[in-house]
Amino acid sequence: MAEEMRIVLRNYGKIDPLKIEDYIAAGGYKALEKAKGMGQQALIDEVKKSNLRGRGGAGFNTGMKWSFSYGIKTDQKYVVCNADEGEPGTYKDRIIMENDPQSVLEGMAICGYAIGANKGYIYCRGEYPCMVEMLNKAIDQAKAKGCLGDFDIEVRMGGGAYACGEESALIESIEGNRGEPRFKPPFPPVIGLWGKPTIVNNVETFANIPAIVDKGADWYKAIGNAKYPGTKVMTLTGDITNKTFVEVPTNTSIRQVLNDFGGGVAGGKKFKAVQIGGTSGGFIPEAFLDTQLNFDDMSAIGATLGSGAFFVMDESRDIVDVVARIAKFFAHESCGKCTPCREGTMRMEEIMERVNDRHGDAADLDRMGRLGRVMTKACLCGLGQAAPSPVLTTMQHFKDEYLSKFN
Amino acid sequence: MLIIELIKLTINGKEVGAPTGSTVLQAAELAGIEIPRLCYDKDLSPLGACRLCVVEVKGNRLLPASCVTPIFAGMEVQTESEAVVEARQTILELLVANHPLDCMTCDKMGDCKLADYAYKYGVKDSSFAGATHQYAIDDSNPFIIRNLNKCILCGACVRACEELIGKDNLSYLNRGFHRKATTAGDVDYIESDCVFCGQCVAVCPTGALTEKTMAGQARRWDIKRVQTTCPFCGTGCNFDLAVNDGKVIGSLSNPNSPVNGRNLCVKGRFGWDFMYSDKRLTSPLIKKDGKFVEAGWDEAYDLIAKRFNEIKAKYGPDSFASLSSARCTNEESFLTQKFTRAHMGTNNCDHCAGACHAPSVAGLTNSFGSGAMTNVISEISSEAELLFLIGINPTESYPVVGYKMRQAHRNGCNLVVCDPRRTELAAEADIWLQQKHGTDIPLLNGLMHIIIKEGLEDKEFIATRTENYEAMKALAAEYTPGRVSEITGVAVEDLYKVARLYATTYKAMAFYSLGITEHICGTRNVMSVANLAMLTGHLGRPGVGVCPIRGQNNVQGACDMGALPNVYSGYQSVTDKAAKEKHQKAWGAPMPDKVGLKIPEMFEAAYEGTVKSMYILGENPVLTNPNANHIKEALEKLEFLVVQELFLTETAQYADVVLPGASFAEKDGTFTNTERRPQRVHKAVEPLPGKADWEVICEMVTRMGYPMSYNHPGEIWAEMASLSPSMAGISYERMEKESVHWPCTSADHPGTPILHIGKFTRGLGGFQPNEHIPPGELPDKDYPILLCTGRVMQHYNVTTQYSAGIAEVWPREMTEVHPQEAAKLGLVTGSKMRVTSRRGSVVTTAWVTDKVQPGVIWMSHHHSETPTNELTSPFVCDIAGTGEYKVCAVKIESA
Amino acid sequence: MADYKDIINQYKDLPGGIIEAYHAVQREYSYIPEEAVEAAAAAFKRSKAEAYGVATFYSYLKVGKRGKNVIRICESAPCHVAGADAVIAALEKELGMKMGESTADGKFALELTECVGQCQATPVITINSKPYENVTADKVAAILTEYK
């Protein structure tokens, strides 16, 4: 029986999230103090050494990212917390922020010290207006207590645009623009918000930081899978008995999460597929259920760890119907800046609908295969590059379901 | 020497080198490898969005867009690999799936990048057929057809509108498949803030934006392109006339244009159609019994020769006066002054520079020794750190210069605008000094006062390069900030801010125009600007200077050619013995001794009866000179008047013989722009009347008994150059290859973009202290409103009214009235109103706006139906004789 | 109702605050009046075209009138498999209109949305951003009575 391990949710249920005194009593803001005693370079080295990799989906070494901004001499730098969790089936950032907002603020403040930034933004999705209020209260409390020092944090609200989860699109949105991604390079740690070096990290990433500073890189890197150490918060949805969230070490397998925490497929039905990492994640068939939940192992099977969404489909589900719905999602959420995504997501939706409605033919599979292949490589940002993944992985693992639509 | 380090990489297996910071696309271009692209445009910021330019880079699992991917040493790039070709084909198929395939009748066919690439990659149709856009076609305006169904969202139009023009009229609406490059609220162009400069059309790679004038007129491959110089304003933009079947059908950007690149304004891009107005004159007219009757050329020439010669014989040479044109070619101005001097025997030759920039010539000659713009337009964006504008409204009067200034300002250059009216640039400026009308001298003196008081003057420059400084200093001392603030209405702290900024900015360029010159103290205004620049050492290097922007396409050239009463071509004084002898010898005729009459003096003399005959080439003083009723009376008194014109203008009505003129598109020649740059005008089509103006002048003068014969305007230029040391190095052959600024004294002289380097033309720069002189007429009890006049962006002084398109969007005079005044009279925008001065009364249409101050109205002088200059002031600059167009007193009422 | 100009002006010194201003206008009006877009352009020194561009990019922002109470139904995959279709049908029937429309009395606007992050209890609808979990067709009428 696998076990949960709570690092980012270390205070879950133990403190009143809107009482900073509780957080402090639980050891909060000690890490920030310790970090400041370490010096910037040593702090960044420690984070780098912990091998904490970004929890938003891209899996980049956090300390390394910070070092890019740290190395630049300029009058202003920014720390941005990406709380635009738009991946369908994901609500882990909400759980973290709702239950322990101060841990995120502290993580941001540590980052601010490390890179030399005195201003932070939390970009919270527009779907969470209550969360915005809560965060503002938490910030007010931290400021009142002087916990953040000279580091200022402001909350900005998204407006319902999945594309803004992409860090450069998110930056555009904070600047008050259309949330369309920028081409890269330059990357945000070098040229980001208002042209200044900017670290954008996910809520979960920041929530890990105080624990790492507090207990040390060696402690952290020993947890879970060595290539992607630590834990991952997963949100379990779909045809699963326990629709809940769990935080597990990164050497936990998909099967363990499904059965040990999720209680197996709901209603005693048989498993058909699980889509992990959000709506752009690959569909995983039974054969891969022993894969561990970390970035590299998931990549190796053509899937992603992504945001930690864990969407289970039982034997009764029509995979093509679900993927058609997902294709519609991408057509709706494409920002429209680059050609292959703007036009491609629309055509993918049309073809998937046609196939799902039994009006398609085998040539449609070739079309989608080619379109998917091109989008994966040629789109401007991660949204377009990942969008074809559900189509491509289901055509690979569940081809019969497509073929059955042509009978 | 600048050593650029090349980074080595391989593209398609070939080792190539490119400078650090290059993109893959640029490196490929250097290596002669063309990468397809739709959204990339070298004049616009990179977008990286069409993804057609993707390439394969070893070690990268993605296909990066080459237009935004920097090169690195050892990079291995494939530009046409299997994956790349598949991506390009797929992207093109995606675009084609949502693009009307009516290429057979598309006006852009032949110049459509989408079609070119579809052809290259064999995309015949799309396997992604599905929903398509069904946008309504925007055919709302006379210039541009907007069919967004053909838009591929490369964003070039949006970027051009923002980055080249700064009008920001376009952005994107909605997202995803429904993303649309359009106006605010998706309204038609005509209802938007569009200024119809057409840059969006120029950069559009498909048929989404096309020139309406060209619709159905020609396939792109049948169009002959003839590069020429714009006939409106003094900026000197070049473009290509699009010609098919002997007819001009459009004006297309030519990226090799030295001044403007691809930028144009509404006039240059769409105003050329005046040449096909049905009001064009096509044959000579002779007035018989008070009515014009069509006549043959011979009849007209005979009559002209007889009458001009008779009158000269009867009243003497000085009874004749000629007006050349700031709109005709240099060659035509040269011929006009030549025959005036050599055959008619008088120096009574002028042109309308007298009505606008004569004070610049007089003032800057006094101060520096040369009347021309000291620096060049390109320095606005390449050098200047501060643009100091006084009495100039570039975005309306010289739009392409204005666009450049706005671009510079957005890129970090400071902008100070001194203007009583809230012009576009005043509204955008870092500091806007809203001085009262006619208070420029105290304002400039006040700035100098502060600069001297704070020790910010350039002491070394003053000591080594100037004279008469002590007098200047003494005068400036009297213009204390408090006193200046009282006279000008400008806050004391703003005076300090601007004085300090101008004095302490190393590269500060000063620009002015008619807001400075068209005053009773115009020449003194000019000299005051020059004083300020000398005080701070802002002369004789890049990014500084005193820059009058000329209002007409060839007003600089008409001056350069000697169509002035006091100088031959190249500013050689008619009283200079050597110059006189040189011309006598060259032209085989005695040269008159005495300086001739300026325009206002000519009309005064005509009124008084000493001038009896006149030849007027392409000028319309009745519409454009102040106190027009007086001009009319003078013209009526002439015994004989010849007007050579495109149209039967207000002035031509008074002629005894009217000779039909040729438009800029119908003749060869040169125009010299405001920065002393002569540029070729190339004949695109045959002249409507059968002859170009230079030919007509030659034939007419030959008939008068002075043989003039040239095979081509190039020969006229060559004669002029041989007589004018400052232009001796410029030839037609050279102009075809490069564009140089005079002075250019020999064929191997590089030209002189910047004047007064190291030494002023006159030796030492001369401070010319000036006291405040209030306008000649100010509002009073009977005429309580101040009238200020000027130009609007859509129009040029003359000719544009005959453009069907421009007349459609700006058909009438719109008089700016402040809401306070409007409220008193119950006027709203569109109301008819009457404006009356002591000299005349006109009916106009109100435009209620707070661009003007309370108590002020502002009018343009473009419309015959509202002859604004019947109202303007009789006062003139005491030195240059230029009318005070900028200030007079009127009363207004509802009409 | 507060004037949109006053609302917008509260944000005008906030760098990039135009989206915040739009949200604030919507909290008062439930939509963004066209004039408010132009007012925002002026307040934030943006072109009108850009101000429209921003307002039409985000699916939670709506330029032009819509119903006061904005009902959004999540249609993302977890809600989709949990039976969102039946909830959509029930909402359309109850309100007598289609998705994307507003009721004639101006009380309700009905919109599809993507995931609202309450996937522990699918299907989910939100009314004025307040989530309702595990919604089924037969619960729809009762939920709506709160707002009628």
Side-chain angles (χ1 to χ4, degrees):
Chain A
M1 182 81 183
E3 280 188 33
E4 260 204 277
M5 175 168 185
R6 293 194 164 176
I7 297 174
V8 301
L9 293 171
R10 57 195 175 277
N11 291 324
Y12 181 86
K14 296 180 188 160
I15 62 167
D16 179 343
L18 283 181
K19 273 176 76 183
I20 192 170
E21 295 78 8
D22 283 15
Y23 180 72
I24 292 169
Y29 286 107
K30 284 216 179 94
L32 176 57
E33 204 174 306
K34 181 176 172 189
K36 287 181 177 171
M38 290 166 76
Q40 290 168 286
Q41 187 65 62
L43 171 61
I44 290 172
D45 287 345
E46 190 73 6
V47 175
K48 208 187 279 182
K49 188 172 146 202
S50 78
N51 201 15
L52 168 66
R53 293 168 65 180
R55 280 348 191 212
F60 196 81
N61 182 299
T62 303
M64 182 84 83
K65 194 175 196 174
W66 291 9
S67 69
F68 298 147
S69 289
Y70 171 67
I72 299 169
K73 298 273 168 283
T74 175
D75 57 333
Q76 181 73 58
K77 298 176 189 179
Y78 297 101
V79 174
V80 174
C81 174
N82 184 346
D84 189 49
E85 80 176 336
E87 279 293 355
T90 309
Y91 55 92
K92 51 125 184 149
D93 294 341
R94 175 171 62 81
I95 295 292
I96 296 167
M97 293 186 291
E98 261 174 11
N99 291 286
D100 194 9
Q102 296 294 346
S103 69
V104 179
L105 306 186
E106 186 177 1
M108 290 177 71
I110 292 170
C111 176
Y113 167 72
I115 66 163
N118 61 9
K119 174 86 188 180
Y121 287 93
I122 300 176
Y123 186 83
C124 182
R125 63 188 313 223
E127 286 83 349
Y128 294 162
C130 296
M131 183 60 58
V132 173
E133 278 175 42
M134 217 173 147
L135 286 167
N136 278 324
K137 280 184 195 154
I139 292 166
D140 288 347
Q141 289 180 5
K143 279 184 186 165
K145 281 257 181 234
C147 293
L148 297 174
D150 62 352
F151 188 72
D152 181 50
I153 301 180
E154 198 181 304
V155 183
R156 287 294 174 90
M157 191 159 139
Y162 174 77
C164 289
E166 197 279 341
E167 59 181 356
S168 65
L170 183 154
I171 285 170
E172 286 286 327
S173 189
I174 294 179
E175 291 183 5
N177 301 325
R178 295 165 58 84
E180 295 177 356
R182 299 172 178 175
F183 57 78
K184 292 175 230 167
F187 291 91
V190 181
I191 296 179
L193 189 61
W194 289 299
K196 302 294 183 185
T198 303
I199 293 298
V200 183
N201 279 146
N202 178 257
V203 170
E204 188 179 350
T205 310
F206 280 127
N208 267 301
I209 295 292
I212 291 171
V213 172
D214 189 29
K215 297 186 172 159
D218 291 331
W219 163 78
Y220 190 80
K221 71 180 191 184
I223 299 165
N225 185 299
K227 288 173 292 183
Y228 186 91
T231 58
K232 184 77 193 80
V233 182
M234 310 294 293
T235 50
L236 282 42
T237 65
D239 302 318
I240 193 163
T241 307
N242 305 323
K243 287 187 189 175
T244 185
F245 61 87
V246 294
E247 182 177 357
V248 292
T250 54
N251 55 0
T252 311
S253 71
I254 301 172
R255 196 186 301 279
Q256 285 172 316
V257 170
L258 173 66
N259 294 327
D260 298 357
F261 304 106
V265 177
K269 289 193 184 155
K270 274 168 98 178
F271 174 87
K272 183 184 262 182
V274 62
Q275 188 193 23
I276 294 181
T279 214
S280 61
F283 278 55
I284 298 161
E286 173 98 46
F288 295 124
L289 286 188
D290 292 315
T291 310
Q292 290 184 7
L293 285 165
N294 59 68
F295 187 86
D296 303 76
D297 288 343
M298 293 294 282
S299 298
I301 62 162
T304 53
L305 181 60
S307 64
F310 193 97
F311 173 48
V312 178
M313 283 151 279
D314 70 29
E315 58 186 331
S316 69
R317 293 300 173 191
D318 178 345
I319 293 285
V320 177
D321 178 66
V322 174
V323 175
R325 172 50 225 166
I326 289 172
K328 188 177 176 188
F329 170 86
F330 283 112
H332 184 247
E333 295 298 338
S334 167
C335 80
K337 182 174 179 177
C338 79
T339 315
C341 181
R342 178 183 67 245
E343 308 291 330
T345 51
M346 179 68 177
R347 300 312 169 198
M348 198 69 105
E349 180 198 344
E350 287 174 345
I351 300 170
M352 279 305 303
E353 267 179 20
R354 185 159 78 216
V355 170
N356 192 31
D357 292 346
R358 299 182 167 274
H359 297 126
D361 56 36
D364 281 332
L365 299 189
D366 294 339
R367 256 176 220 128
M368 290 196 291
R370 173 158 66 100
L371 178 56
R373 199 159 55 234
V374 169
M375 288 177 66
T376 303
K377 293 185 161 191
C379 281
L380 171 59
C381 83
L383 188 159
Q385 289 158 14
S389 173
V391 176
L392 295 176
T393 53
T394 53
M395 286 203 304
Q396 185 187 352
H397 300 308
F398 301 94
K399 192 164 186 180
D400 287 350
E401 301 224 4
Y402 284 90
L403 297 179
S404 74
K405 297 278 186 181
F406 303 141
N407 295 328
Chain B
M1 197 182 126
L2 187 67
I3 296 167
I4 297 168
E5 202 179 325
L6 294 184
I7 288 186
K8 288 213 161 53
L9 64 158
T10 63
I11 302 181
N12 301 342
K14 179 178 153 193
E15 182 163 304
V16 304
T20 315
S22 301
T23 62
V24 172
L25 187 141
Q26 287 164 334
E29 261 181 5
L30 280 176
I33 297 163
E34 162 90 9
I35 298 176
R37 77 292 294 271
L38 286 167
C39 70
Y40 172 81
D41 185 312
K42 68 172 180 45
D43 294 332
L44 304 173
S45 63
L47 195 69
C50 78
R51 313 306 286 179
L52 203 65
C53 74
V54 291
V55 292
E56 198 163 321
V57 175
K58 194 175 175 189
N60 190 337
R61 69 179 175 86
L62 303 172
L63 298 174
S66 60
C67 68
V68 291
T69 301
I71 55 169
F72 56 84
M75 190 179 206
E76 293 178 40
V77 179
Q78 291 289 333
T79 69
E80 297 285 339
S81 71
E82 203 180 317
V84 167
V85 170
E86 180 182 65
R88 291 209 187 119
Q89 280 170 338
T90 304
I91 289 166
L92 288 166
E93 273 188 52
L94 288 168
L95 288 170
V96 163
N98 192 13
H99 188 95
L101 297 180
D102 60 357
C103 308
M104 280 181 284
T105 52
C106 180
D107 272 297
K108 202 63 178 284
M109 193 58 195
D111 193 20
C112 170
K113 277 191 174 178
L114 182 60
D116 292 350
Y117 294 138
Y119 181 81
K120 178 170 178 186
Y121 289 96
V123 175
K124 292 188 169 62
D125 54 14
S126 179
S127 40
F128 300 109
T132 56
H133 295 312
Q134 302 296 328
Y135 298 135
I137 294 171
D138 174 4
D139 192 18
S140 60
N141 66 83
F143 308 119
I144 298 168
I145 299 175
R146 206 163 58 116
N147 181 354
L148 293 186
N149 299 304
K150 294 184 179 177
C151 173
I152 53 160
L153 282 163
C154 70
C157 55
V158 175
R159 286 175 286 158
C161 196
E162 273 179 23
E163 297 167 12
L164 302 180
I165 307 310
K167 197 64 204 171
D168 305 338
N169 189 50
L170 298 173
S171 183
Y172 307 99
L173 218 57
N174 306 322
R175 74 181 188 208
F177 188 73
H178 306 287
R179 190 171 182 264
K180 192 176 183 187
T182 187
T183 58
D186 204 19
V187 296
D188 282 349
Y189 266 10
I190 196 78
E191 288 160 47
S192 74
D193 295 336
C194 180
V195 293
F196 298 106
C197 66
Q199 257 69 282
C200 55
V201 182
V203 297
C204 179
T206 73
L209 296 165
T210 51
E211 298 86 352
K212 196 168 181 177
T213 54
M214 289 168 66
Q217 295 295 307
R219 304 318 308 247
R220 294 276 163 164
W221 50 81
D222 288 331
I223 290 172
K224 188 175 86 174
R225 297 175 74 125
V226 180
Q227 182 170 357
T228 197
T229 304
C230 182
F232 308 108
C233 105
T235 306
C237 298
N238 278 21
F239 51 72
D240 287 352
L241 285 171
V243 180
N244 187 42
D245 267 349
K247 195 167 183 283
V248 173
I249 59 170
S251 148
L252 300 168
S253 286
N254 181 329
N256 299 321
S257 306
V259 178
N260 58 305
R262 288 188 291 177
N263 292 354
L264 291 172
C265 75
V266 61
K267 299 185 286 289
R269 199 178 299 278
F270 298 114
W272 53 268
D273 70 328
F274 73 86
M275 63 185 282
Y276 292 124
S277 161
D278 55 11
K279 297 201 171 73
R280 272 287 295 277
L281 299 173
T282 53
S283 86
L285 302 173
I286 294 176
K287 197 179 265 171
K288 293 179 180 165
D289 303 326
K291 276 195 180 152
F292 284 116
V293 179
E294 286 199 1
W297 288 100
D298 279 330
E299 188 187 353
Y301 289 151
D302 283 341
L303 180 61
I304 293 168
K306 179 169 164 272
R307 294 292 288 136
F308 276 161
N309 288 342
E310 270 174 15
I311 292 170
K312 179 185 167 191
K314 189 168 169 192
Y315 301 104
D318 289 335
S319 67
F320 175 81
S322 66
L323 285 187
S324 187
S325 173
R327 289 176 285 280
C328 287
T329 63
N330 281 322
E331 293 72 11
E332 289 154 357
S333 273
F334 183 76
L335 293 182
T336 301
Q337 60 92 31
K338 178 178 173 183
F339 93 77
T340 302
R341 295 187 161 115
H343 180 68
M344 300 307 289
T346 177
N347 281 318
N348 290 345
C349 181
D350 202 355
H351 69 282
C352 68
C356 53
H357 270 295
S360 293
V361 177
L364 295 183
T365 303
N366 264 343
S367 300
F368 305 148
S370 165
M373 178 167 170
T374 65
N375 289 57
V376 295
I377 293 170
S378 60
E379 289 172 18
I380 294 170
S381 39
S382 67
E383 296 284 348
E385 294 159 358
L386 165 65
L387 304 174
F388 175 84
L389 276 55
I390 182 163
I392 182 170
N393 184 5
T395 57
E396 299 258 359
S397 301
Y398 329 96
V400 171
V401 173
Y403 302 150
K404 226 179 241 291
M405 289 175 169
R406 182 184 271 147
Q407 218 179 342
H409 181 225
R410 289 187 180 187
N411 290 333
C413 178
N414 284 313
L415 176 66
V416 170
V417 176
C418 313
D419 205 304
R421 180 162 162 256
R422 197 186 67 232
T423 63
E424 279 188 335
L425 290 184
E428 294 168 25
D430 299 301
I431 309 173
W432 170 31
L433 301 186
Q434 192 179 18
Q435 79 272 35
K436 290 179 194 161
H437 293 262
T439 63
D440 303 289
I441 291 174
L443 176 65
L444 292 160
N445 285 348
L447 297 176
M448 287 188 267
H449 175 100
I450 294 168
I451 290 167
I452 296 168
K453 188 169 76 181
E454 304 211 331
L456 300 174
E457 75 276 22
D458 186 335
K459 295 176 186 73
E460 195 196 327
F461 188 91
I462 295 166
T464 59
R465 299 281 315 267
T466 69
E467 59 190 13
N468 202 28
Y469 174 63
E470 286 310 316
M472 183 73 247
K473 192 175 168 185
L475 180 109
E478 319 235 320
Y479 285 81
T480 59
R483 181 182 163 210
V484 168
S485 178
E486 201 162 294
I487 303 172
T488 62
V490 174
V492 168
E493 65 260 35
D494 285 342
L495 292 171
Y496 273 95
K497 264 194 243 168
V498 170
R500 288 169 184 158
L501 186 63
Y502 181 79
T504 57
T505 303
Y506 180 63
K507 291 183 177 181
M509 288 181 94
F511 292 86
Y512 72 85
S513 189
L514 307 191
I516 280 292
T517 60
E518 289 179 347
H519 283 285
I520 192 167
C521 51
T523 303
R524 295 168 207 277
N525 279 347
V526 169
M527 293 189 291
S528 298
V529 179
N531 291 340
L532 178 66
M534 285 189 285
L535 180 72
T536 49
H538 284 138
L539 285 158
R541 50 190 169 88
V544 296
V546 176
C547 303
I549 301 289
R550 298 305 189 103
Q552 307 204 57
N553 55 311
N554 202 34
V555 67
Q556 180 69 49
C559 293
D560 299 348
M561 292 304 113
L564 292 170
N566 59 335
V567 289
Y568 302 114
S569 59
Y571 303 95
Q572 303 169 83
S573 172
V574 296
T575 56
D576 180 82
K577 204 168 158 233
K580 197 178 143 188
E581 276 167 12
K582 180 168 70 175
H583 284 83
Q584 282 180 171
K585 197 173 155 210
W587 294 345
M591 289 295 112
D593 289 315
K594 173 170 113 206
V595 169
L597 300 175
K598 299 183 189 110
I599 293 184
E601 293 165 349
M602 285 177 191
F603 288 112
E604 214 46 55
Y607 188 79
E608 300 294 333
T610 52
V611 162
K612 296 288 188 186
S613 69
M614 280 186 83
Y615 167 81
I616 300 180
L617 172 65
E619 296 254 314
N620 188 7
V622 171
L623 190 67
T624 57
N625 275 43
N627 200 3
N629 289 330
H630 190 63
I631 306 278
K632 288 183 196 170
E633 286 164 17
L635 290 172
E636 268 167 8
K637 293 193 174 184
L638 288 173
E639 290 192 12
F640 191 65
L641 172 64
V642 176
V643 173
Q644 188 165 330
E645 252 299 356
L646 296 170
F647 303 100
L648 197 59
T649 60
E650 291 78 358
T651 302
Q653 303 280 0
Y654 291 85
D656 297 284
V657 178
V658 181
L659 297 172
S663 75
F664 77 110
E666 298 162 356
K667 58 193 179 187
D668 279 297
T670 54
F671 294 153
T672 303
N673 82 340
T674 187
E675 44 173 15
R676 300 170 275 109
R677 183 200 292 267
Q679 301 184 101
R680 277 301 312 273
V681 175
H682 286 108
K683 178 174 159 183
V685 294
E686 288 303 318
L688 231 53
K691 298 172 197 291
D693 298 277
W694 63 272
E695 293 172 297
V696 173
I697 297 168
C698 288
E699 290 175 4
M700 175 183 82
V701 176
T702 303
R703 195 69 58 100
M704 283 155 63
Y706 183 80
M708 267 190 180
S709 169
Y710 303 91
N711 293 309
H712 187 270
E715 296 175 10
I716 305 172
W717 177 275
E719 177 181 322
M720 184 283 301
S722 73
L723 290 167
S724 316
S726 62
M727 285 172 279
I730 306 175
S731 64
Y732 267 39
E733 294 69 39
R734 191 166 177 189
M735 277 187 260
E736 295 291 353
K737 290 196 292 267
E738 61 172 338
S739 171
V740 294
H741 308 263
W742 66 257
C744 176
T745 48
S746 64
D748 54 2
H749 188 289
T752 312
I754 302 168
L755 297 179
H756 316 305
I757 297 178
K759 183 170 181 262
F760 283 99
T761 311
R762 75 189 281 276
L764 291 175
F767 281 103
Q768 314 284 350
N770 300 290
E771 292 281 7
H772 175 39
I773 303 173
E777 181 183 76
L778 280 168
D780 53 27
K781 189 164 64 55
D782 298 330
Y783 296 90
I785 301 288
L786 189 151
L787 166 66
C788 181
T789 71
R791 241 192 222 176
V792 299
M793 186 256 308
Q794 291 83 354
H795 280 289
Y796 181 58
N797 295 4
V798 291
T799 61
T800 44
Q801 300 86 321
Y802 298 98
S803 157
I806 289 178
E808 189 180 325
V809 296
W810 200 263
R812 63 182 67 84
E813 167 59 23
M814 295 294 286
T815 296
E816 295 175 9
V817 187
H818 190 274
Q820 276 181 28
E821 254 63 54
K824 283 183 215 159
L825 297 172
L827 296 172
V828 295
T829 295
S831 301
K832 288 268 165 264
M833 61 185 277
R834 176 171 287 282
V835 183
T836 307
S837 76
R838 289 187 172 83
R839 295 154 294 279
S841 180
V842 303
V843 173
T844 177
T845 307
W847 176 14
V848 180
T849 169
D850 61 359
K851 277 165 79 175
V852 289
Q853 295 168 325
V856 177
I857 64 168
W858 189 93
M859 296 175 76
S860 75
H861 53 242
H862 305 299
H863 297 277
S864 320
E865 305 74 34
T866 304
T868 301
N869 282 321
E870 292 189 6
L871 306 171
T872 41
S873 171
F875 292 92
V876 297
C877 168
D878 60 339
I879 300 171
T882 298
E884 184 159 47
Y885 293 84
K886 294 297 175 188
V887 183
C888 76
V890 296
K891 59 185 177 190
I892 58 175
E893 57 207 316
S894 179
Chain C
M1 201 143 60
D3 187 345
Y4 59 79
K5 277 192 189 136
D6 297 335
I7 298 173
I8 289 165
N9 279 333
Q10 287 168 19
Y11 293 87
K12 74 175 170 40
D13 297 324
L14 191 66
I18 190 168
I19 297 169
E20 296 288 320
Y22 282 150
H23 279 304
V25 170
Q26 286 207 156
R27 281 194 287 273
E28 187 76 15
Y29 289 73
S30 99
Y31 65 95
I32 309 169
E34 294 224 17
E35 313 81 71
V37 177
E38 303 204 358
F44 290 94
K45 298 189 171 64
R46 305 286 293 266
S47 73
K48 278 190 288 177
E50 274 185 335
Y52 269 98
V54 172
T56 58
F57 182 83
Y58 297 94
S59 58
Y60 269 44
L61 304 179
K62 165 84 168 66
V63 179
K65 218 167 167 55
R66 70 173 162 191
K68 184 75 200 153
N69 298 297
V70 182
I71 307 168
R72 296 190 177 96
I73 168 135
C74 171
E75 221 204 348
S76 291
C79 285
H80 178 73
V81 300
D85 284 352
V87 179
I88 292 170
L91 280 165
E92 288 183 339
K93 187 166 167 240
E94 185 66 29
L95 293 167
M97 63 175 176
K98 293 279 172 206
M99 281 290 154
E101 295 177 352
S102 288
T103 49
D105 63 4
K107 277 198 177 142
F108 292 101
L110 193 51
E111 295 175 5
L112 288 175
T113 185
E114 297 296 351
C115 184
V116 293
Q118 306 290 341
C119 325
Q120 71 283 4
T122 49
V124 181
I125 71 168
T126 66
I127 301 181
N128 304 334
S129 291
K130 179 182 169 192
Y132 292 83
E133 302 178 348
N134 292 320
V135 179
T136 52
D138 53 3
K139 289 187 192 165
V140 163
I143 294 171
L144 293 184
T145 49
E146 284 182 52
Y147 297 89
K148 277 186 173 162

